[in-house]
Amino acid sequence: MKILFIGARLFNEVAGYAKEKGIDTILTESNKDSPNLKLANKLFIVPRGMDSPVEIALSEDVDAVVPLIGIDKPLIDVAKMKELLEKEYNLPVVASNLHSTEIASDKLKTKKFFQENNIKTPEFFEINRKQFLKEKSDKLNQFTEFNLDYPSVLKQSEGQGGSGIKLALCKDDACDYFKEFEHAFVEKFVKGIEVSVEVLSWKGQSIALTPVYKGETTLDFLHPLNKIRTAPAEVNHLDNQKLRKLAEKIVAKMGASGTIEVEFIFDPETNELNVIEMNTRPSGTRYLTLTSSGINPLQQLVDMGTGHWDKKIVEDNMKKYSAFEMPLPLHRKKEMNEIFSKGKKDITNNHLFSKNRPWILHGHEKAQRITIRAKNSDETIEIAKKLKIVE
């Protein structure tokens, strides 16, 4: 069997697994300096876009296409490629369709989708620079049926990793924002705890994996990557099983496929649960998901491509570990990387941890993170203390 993988940056997370399955791997990548280029059986350096991957998929007579793209911008083109290859050539592409991708890639469309389907999400409204300036000079503070209250979250429809998002604490903050952007939508700031769930979905089957705790919402608007994150989420009054089922229903309603992340904010004082957004691409929390559940989301994409994916098998294979993740402190970076490099020979595709090293390092060298696995959350903290990454 032959599978075409698009994108080399995440290919190391599936290359060994595909080899174990006897899959002939073909890789396309637009960056000749990207890592992991030598891991595929055959490599093609191609221009950006999906035209060349389509041509290669057909000329190489592959059995499936698995995009490994972790950024939003190319996803619309990927979805269009999916429609072409599946409709015209009956060639499966393990990615979301155009309808769900257009919704998830546009934050405003996502909000409207939630609203239209009675899925609770923070209040929001659209505004442009002209309306804001009028509102700013209006003593009644009204330009529509809404008030621009503070704090409020100002967002662009497109953006990833916090780009185009600002927490406005006062009018001056909003004024600075509209000096840069012509349009925005305003979302009510919700105090609570951020939780995300990765959902695997293919051909009408969906299964949510372990909910991940991503920290509390704060007025300093600390990026999630700079917070300590854990799995499973241990939040008072939050039922993780109900949360998983809700995430599955949302994904099914949207019709998304592959791996999808659904993000929530939960207020433990009011028990109010809001859905914030969705991402139809590999998640930044996938190592926490893998560590806590034993299920590797990206390897599941390979199984979908081979036609051997079954949510019942995933459910039966799910483990119950605790995972702890944080940025790797600079003062421990050199020593921890040396230890990790020496232990890489013990890593297999399905066993990233060993008894002597219950942790892994991952991410770009300038923003490395460490994920720890243990039987329970207390043990993860003890390991973190022994590693001298927390006090």
Side-chain angles (χ1 to χ4, degrees):
M1 183 171 201
K2 290 194 289 187
I3 292 181
L4 172 65
F5 294 89
I6 301 175
R9 188 174 66 85
L10 305 182
F11 183 62
N12 63 307
E13 298 182 35
V14 299
Y17 182 75
K19 184 178 180 179
E20 282 184 358
K21 296 287 184 179
I23 296 169
D24 191 17
T25 58
I26 299 171
L27 177 65
T28 64
E29 172 57 52
S30 60
N31 180 7
K32 63 181 179 59
D33 297 318
S34 179
N36 309 317
L37 297 179
K38 296 180 179 180
L39 298 180
N41 296 116
K42 187 178 287 189
L43 169 68
F44 292 89
I45 300 298
V46 299
R48 293 185 182 276
M50 295 300 126
D51 289 345
S52 292
V54 167
E55 293 175 2
I56 291 166
L58 298 176
S59 64
E60 293 292 324
D61 193 26
V62 301
D63 299 288
V65 177
V66 177
L68 296 174
I69 296 174
I71 57 176
D72 289 337
K73 194 171 182 179
L75 296 182
I76 295 295
D77 288 338
V78 169
K80 290 178 179 178
M81 174 186 67
K82 175 184 176 73
E83 290 196 348
L84 170 66
L85 291 179
E86 291 187 346
K87 182 178 180 180
E88 300 293 333
Y89 301 95
N90 197 31
L91 179 60
V93 177
V94 186
S96 286
N97 59 31
L98 185 58
H99 170 72
S100 56
T101 302
E102 285 180 335
I103 294 172
S105 297
D106 186 307
K107 292 182 174 64
L108 184 56
K109 287 183 179 179
T110 304
K111 296 287 288 185
K112 291 180 177 179
F113 167 81
F114 293 152
Q115 190 178 61
E116 291 164 1
N117 288 278
N118 297 314
I119 299 168
K120 187 168 179 51
T121 191
E123 294 178 10
F124 70 99
F125 59 91
E126 299 173 73
I127 182 175
N128 58 43
R129 183 183 294 160
K130 184 177 179 180
Q131 289 172 317
F132 169 72
L133 293 174
K134 180 181 178 182
E135 181 274 336
K136 189 173 180 240
S137 63
D138 187 346
K139 293 182 180 179
L140 295 178
N141 252 3
Q142 291 187 332
F143 53 86
T144 67
E145 60 184 303
F146 298 95
N147 289 327
L148 187 57
D149 297 323
Y150 300 98
S152 284
V153 183
L154 305 178
K155 293 184 176 182
Q156 296 298 295
S157 293
E158 296 181 357
Q160 184 176 340
S163 65
I165 301 177
K166 182 180 183 67
L167 177 61
L169 302 178
C170 61
K171 283 188 176 181
D172 287 344
D173 288 341
C175 192
D176 289 341
Y177 187 85
F178 282 104
K179 288 178 181 177
E180 182 177 358
F181 298 103
E182 181 69 32
H183 301 272
F185 72 93
V186 182
E187 184 178 79
K188 178 183 177 182
F189 174 76
V190 178
K191 187 177 183 299
I193 294 169
E194 296 181 80
V195 181
S196 71
V197 182
E198 283 187 75
V199 180
L200 301 172
S201 182
W202 188 242
K203 293 187 175 180
Q205 297 187 73
S206 295
I207 181 168
L209 301 177
T210 307
V212 172
Y213 167 88
K214 298 168 72 174
E216 296 183 10
T217 57
T218 58
L219 292 179
D220 60 7
F221 218 53
L222 185 65
H223 193 282
L225 287 179
N226 296 320
K227 297 179 181 179
I228 289 176
R229 306 188 293 193
T230 61
E234 297 178 350
V235 180
N236 287 337
H237 309 302
L238 179 62
D239 187 323
N240 280 350
Q241 294 308 311
K242 288 184 178 179
L243 187 66
R244 290 179 63 208
K245 293 302 178 185
L246 176 57
E248 290 173 5
K249 289 180 180 178
I250 294 171
V251 168
K253 178 74 71 174
M254 184 180 279
S257 297
T259 177
I260 306 99
E261 181 184 33
V262 187
E263 300 183 15
F264 302 86
I265 292 181
F266 177 71
D267 186 339
E269 294 182 3
T270 64
N271 290 346
E272 185 175 81
L273 181 67
N274 281 278
V275 188
I276 303 301
E277 62 180 65
M278 294 178 64
N279 299 302
T280 54
R281 53 173 166 75
S283 167
T285 62
R286 65 186 180 277
Y287 277 94
L288 282 155
T289 299
L290 163 61
T291 301
S292 57
S293 70
I295 303 298
N296 187 319
L298 296 192
Q299 292 179 2
Q300 295 297 308
L301 301 182
V302 177
D303 290 344
M304 292 173 187
T306 64
H308 294 103
W309 188 80
D310 189 324
K311 81 169 198 175
K312 180 66 165 56
I313 295 175
V314 177
E315 186 81 66
D316 291 343
N317 288 333
M318 284 184 68
K319 309 298 182 185
K320 293 184 178 180
Y321 290 108
S322 284
F324 172 98
E325 184 177 291
M326 65 176 287
L328 182 63
L330 289 177
H331 73 281
R332 297 292 291 142
K333 185 174 181 178
K334 182 178 180 181
E335 183 179 356
M336 297 288 286
N337 272 281
E338 289 175 353
I339 296 171
F340 188 62
S341 295
K342 289 178 182 178
K344 276 189 175 180
K345 63 180 182 297
D346 298 325
I347 295 177
T348 65
N349 298 311
N350 295 311
H351 300 89
L352 297 179
F353 305 91
S354 65
K355 184 177 180 181
N356 296 324
R357 187 188 48 70
W359 51 270
I360 53 176
L361 300 181
H362 53 92
H364 192 276
E365 62 177 12
K366 293 182 179 180
Q368 272 189 309
R369 299 183 66 81
I370 178 170
T371 305
I372 298 170
R373 186 186 75 177
K375 293 179 181 179
N376 55 59
S377 57
D378 289 339
E379 285 191 15
T380 63
I381 299 300
E382 288 303 313
I383 293 170
K385 289 180 178 178
K386 289 179 181 178
L387 293 173
K388 299 178 183 179
I389 59 174
V390 300
E391 295 181 357

